[in-house]
Amino acid sequence: MSFISYLISGISLGSIYAIIALGYTMVYGIAKMLNFAHGDIIMVGGYAVFTIGITCGMNKWIAMLVGVVVCTVLGIVIEKVAYKPLRGASSLAVLITAIGVSYLLQNLALLIFGSNPKSFTSVVSVPMIKLANGELTITGETIVTIIVCIIIMVVLTLFINKTKAGRAMLAVSEDKGAAQLMGVNVNGTIALTFAIGSALAAVAGILLCSAYPQIIPTTGAMPGIKAFTAAVFGGIGSIPGALIGGIILGVIESLGQAYISSQLADAIVFSVLIIVLLVKPTGIFGKKINEKV
Amino acid sequence: MAMLTVKDLEVYYGVIKAIKGVSFEVNEGEIIALIGANGAGKTTILHTITGLISPKNGSIEFEGKDLTKTPAHKIVSMGMAHVPEGRRIFQELTVLENLKLGAYTRKDKKEIAETLEKVYERFPRLKERYKQVAGTLSGGEQQMLAMGRALMSHPKIILMDEPSMGLSPLLVSEIFDIIKVIKEAGTTVLLVEQNAKKALSVADRAYVLETGNIVKEGKASDLLNDDSIKKAYLGE
Ligand SMILES: Nc1ncnc2c1ncn2[C@@H]1O[C@H](COP(=O)(O)OP(=O)(O)O)[C@@H](O)[C@H]1O
Ligand SMILES: [Mg+2]
């Protein structure tokens, strides 16, 4: 019974990775860049909800809404200020800038909130459920996380395949020049992608801080790297890849922690990534990569 | 007044001057051919007209509006479509999705559906394969899709960059027949080709481009009989 319980918490953790990985993978697919500051948006979302909901004592729904809006705007601003001027620059320059933005966000949080952990109150009010005569308990956070992840995947897939803006995204991801000839505003599409990715990061931040109710300026760093791993694992640029990659990673981490070693869990996760990339360099759902220099 | 007027156009790639002061005109209802060897600058000129590259000097006027100050994504709704070199269809999308993207800036669903019917009439093979992923089409079908996609915007003028490239002689003739039909339906055509013979046979007038300069211009029928053109471009 404990195996099933580890499995379920792995799926839940993996759902958070998947939601974060979606942001990585969409931005990579459309802007062809790795936004290493993406993980820190999670932390900003967490602090925003903490400030509004706990420090100011407002209703949790308002706090969450503010958190999502703050992150969405932040994502758009970062793209406009830091990345847009580098369009056409070498990918190394963009990567270094992204790392710079990541440190900037972490240090701003350090300046504003200090290094002491803030304790976050879970926003989830769904009760835990007990199964198999109480041997198997599933927390409300776990249930909500998995459901939210499913909803996000469905809505995002519909958005991309059924709406005009979604089609424009697919066109831009394949060929920016040809998309422009169709009348697609490439800058607008990239901004929209950052907005969606950052809003999802805020959601991931809220779920993460509800499941592990503490927040520090580096809260987003490790989940960010793991979600990036998940995105690469699933095939960067692929949306189903982000989901599958995230879930597999979460499950490996959870089972590794339970059955092998809690200290080695992260090492196991990254070893799996290395092995997968040796066998299939483009990840599980990876297509041929049309790398832009 | 000409529909499209390009004047003293100069385009650079870094420090290299690719277009060295080119001027030409396209009148409504014409097929204009721009011929020249590989590397002469034909693609660069088309990319500059539709805003994918910015010129250093010179002007491009389309129906009285200055295109050099218009962002690329605003060009198509002004009535100018571009079938780029190498087709550049969206390989991972279906034929129908590609065609719909061609009508991206149009609002009226009924008009779009009518245009789609016309495109299907002109390219029955696209209709047969509307659900197929575009990357799996043959070269000729991909060229037809690229042309159909451009027609979906219901353009006044259509720029075509080497539509015959890499196609079998039979398909080349088919593509040039379609270009004539497009003109007869009232769309102006600016045709860029290395296949000078075919291009001159469908065009009204033509310009000859050599390393970034226009070296000759005239009626297509005259150029077909011009000795230096025959020698350099027609392999006679
Ligand atoms: N992206 C580019 N960067 C640098 N030089 C280029 C680029 N594209 C084309 N060129 C150069 O500009 C000149 C004109 O090229 P192009 O317009 O493609 O010619 P054409 O279409 O007539 O074959 C060539 O010398 C080519 O090498
Ligand atoms: Mg060319």
Side-chain angles (χ1 to χ4, degrees):
Chain A
M1 218 26 95
S2 61
F3 172 79
I4 293 180
S5 140
Y6 293 132
L7 187 66
I8 291 172
S9 67
I11 292 173
S12 169
L13 178 65
S15 298
I16 296 179
Y17 292 157
I19 297 169
I20 308 168
L22 282 172
Y24 270 114
T25 229
M26 286 176 70
V27 165
Y28 181 84
I30 284 154
K32 303 287 179 267
M33 68 162 289
L34 293 173
N35 177 20
F36 268 111
H38 185 62
D40 300 293
I41 307 279
I42 299 164
M43 169 275 293
V44 172
Y47 275 119
V49 176
F50 169 82
T51 306
I52 303 296
I54 295 165
T55 314
C56 304
M58 304 264 268
N59 176 292
K60 72 177 181 187
W61 292 103
I62 295 178
M64 285 191 273
L65 183 67
V66 171
V68 171
V69 171
V70 164
C71 289
T72 306
V73 173
L74 182 67
I76 295 171
V77 170
I78 290 173
E79 194 277 323
K80 192 152 184 89
V81 174
Y83 303 145
K84 197 173 161 195
L86 292 177
R87 216 144 298 147
S90 76
S91 40
L92 190 61
V94 182
L95 187 66
I96 291 168
T97 305
I99 293 171
V101 172
S102 165
Y103 279 117
L104 177 72
L105 292 177
Q106 287 180 18
N107 284 287
L108 280 177
L110 195 60
L111 200 68
I112 299 170
F113 298 98
S115 57
N116 286 335
K118 305 280 182 203
S119 43
F120 194 93
T121 318
S122 172
V123 295
V124 175
S125 48
V126 176
M128 66 167 67
I129 49 175
K130 288 188 192 295
L131 296 171
N133 302 323
E135 276 185 67
L136 179 64
T137 58
I138 306 172
T139 66
E141 282 79 7
T142 302
I143 298 165
V144 169
T145 301
I146 295 172
I147 291 173
V148 168
C149 179
I150 293 170
I151 293 172
I152 287 175
M153 286 305 301
V154 171
V155 171
L156 200 62
T157 306
L158 287 177
F159 171 76
I160 289 183
N161 293 308
K162 300 280 176 228
T163 68
K164 219 168 157 178
R167 287 296 166 71
M169 281 183 163
L170 291 177
V172 171
S173 86
E174 234 191 274
D175 186 334
K176 285 196 185 63
Q180 278 175 298
L181 295 180
M182 303 301 110
V184 175
N185 180 345
V186 168
N187 285 332
T189 304
I190 292 177
L192 176 66
T193 309
F194 270 84
I196 294 174
S198 304
L200 294 180
V203 173
I206 295 165
L207 293 169
L208 186 74
C209 293
S210 292
Y212 308 89
Q214 265 202 347
I215 176 163
I216 53 172
T218 52
T219 285
M222 203 51 170
I225 291 178
K226 291 207 185 122
F228 167 66
T229 308
V232 174
F233 190 91
I236 191 137
S238 155
I239 287 178
L243 175 69
I244 302 297
I247 304 277
I248 291 178
L249 217 72
V251 169
I252 292 174
E253 181 175 334
S254 171
L255 296 182
Q257 229 161 30
Y259 294 109
I260 304 176
S261 148
S262 57
Q263 268 119 31
L264 284 180
D266 288 348
I268 294 165
V269 166
F270 293 115
S271 312
V272 170
L273 171 78
I274 293 169
I275 292 165
V276 167
L277 291 187
L278 284 175
V279 178
K280 193 163 187 302
T282 51
I284 303 171
F285 285 84
K287 296 169 276 214
K288 63 172 185 2
I289 299 175
N290 325 321
E291 185 66 71
K292 187 193 107 182
V293 186
Chain B
M1 208 187 67
M3 184 183 217
L4 175 69
T5 310
V6 174
K7 217 172 187 173
D8 304 325
L9 193 69
E10 291 182 13
V11 185
Y12 285 74
Y13 289 109
V15 295
I16 297 163
K17 196 172 186 177
I19 303 300
K20 304 166 181 166
V22 160
S23 303
F24 65 91
E25 286 183 356
V26 182
N27 296 310
E28 196 171 344
E30 285 184 313
I31 297 184
I32 295 298
L34 194 58
I35 60 175
N38 191 17
K42 306 179 296 295
T43 298
T44 304
I45 291 176
L46 292 197
H47 280 186
T48 312
I49 294 173
T50 45
L52 296 177
I53 310 177
S54 298
K56 182 122 180 179
N57 288 306
S59 67
I60 302 166
E61 265 193 21
F62 176 59
E63 298 193 315
K65 277 162 276 176
D66 184 359
L67 293 192
T68 58
K69 292 182 183 64
T70 311
H73 69 271
K74 297 246 168 88
I75 302 267
V76 66
S77 52
M78 296 169 71
M80 178 181 282
H82 182 164
V83 183
E85 182 177 72
R87 330 198 196 301
R88 290 172 71 171
I89 54 165
F90 301 107
Q91 307 262 339
E92 287 167 24
L93 302 184
T94 65
V95 168
L96 180 59
E97 286 167 342
N98 268 276
L99 292 173
K100 281 188 175 165
L101 273 162
Y104 182 77
T105 57
R106 297 176 67 187
K107 300 271 176 317
D108 191 323
K109 288 227 166 73
K110 203 173 138 247
E111 282 176 23
I112 294 174
E114 283 167 17
T115 311
L116 183 65
E117 272 318 303
K118 278 190 205 148
V119 168
Y120 279 158
E121 250 169 60
R122 198 155 294 163
F123 304 103
R125 250 175 293 179
L126 296 183
K127 185 169 189 175
E128 284 162 28
R129 296 169 184 269
Y130 77 100
K131 268 187 175 165
Q132 195 170 325
V133 174
T136 62
L137 295 176
S138 71
E141 288 161 354
Q142 293 198 11
Q143 185 59 49
M144 290 174 191
L145 178 56
M147 290 166 83
R149 187 181 67 175
L151 290 172
M152 286 300 292
S153 69
H154 193 56
K156 297 176 195 159
I157 184 169
I158 185 162
L159 319 185
M160 293 193 209
D161 198 340
E162 309 227 23
S164 73
M165 193 197 268
L167 301 183
S168 69
L170 205 70
L171 275 169
V172 171
S173 298
E174 197 175 329
I175 294 288
F176 278 95
D177 286 344
I178 293 166
I179 294 173
K180 277 189 274 184
V181 172
I182 290 174
K183 177 204 165 166
E184 276 149 27
T187 308
T188 308
V189 179
L190 174 56
L191 173 66
V192 154
E193 264 297 340
Q194 269 189 71
N195 188 337
K197 200 175 208 161
K198 278 281 182 193
L200 291 175
S201 70
V202 295
D204 297 296
R205 292 187 301 117
Y207 294 85
V208 182
L209 196 68
E210 251 171 43
T211 55
N213 286 304
I214 285 179
V215 294
K216 210 161 214 143
E217 61 180 274
K219 279 175 65 179
S221 50
D222 293 345
L223 291 177
L224 267 176
N225 295 316
D226 183 296
D227 283 339
S228 63
I229 301 286
K230 273 186 180 167
K231 223 168 120 200
Y233 296 101
L234 305 177
E236 286 174 18

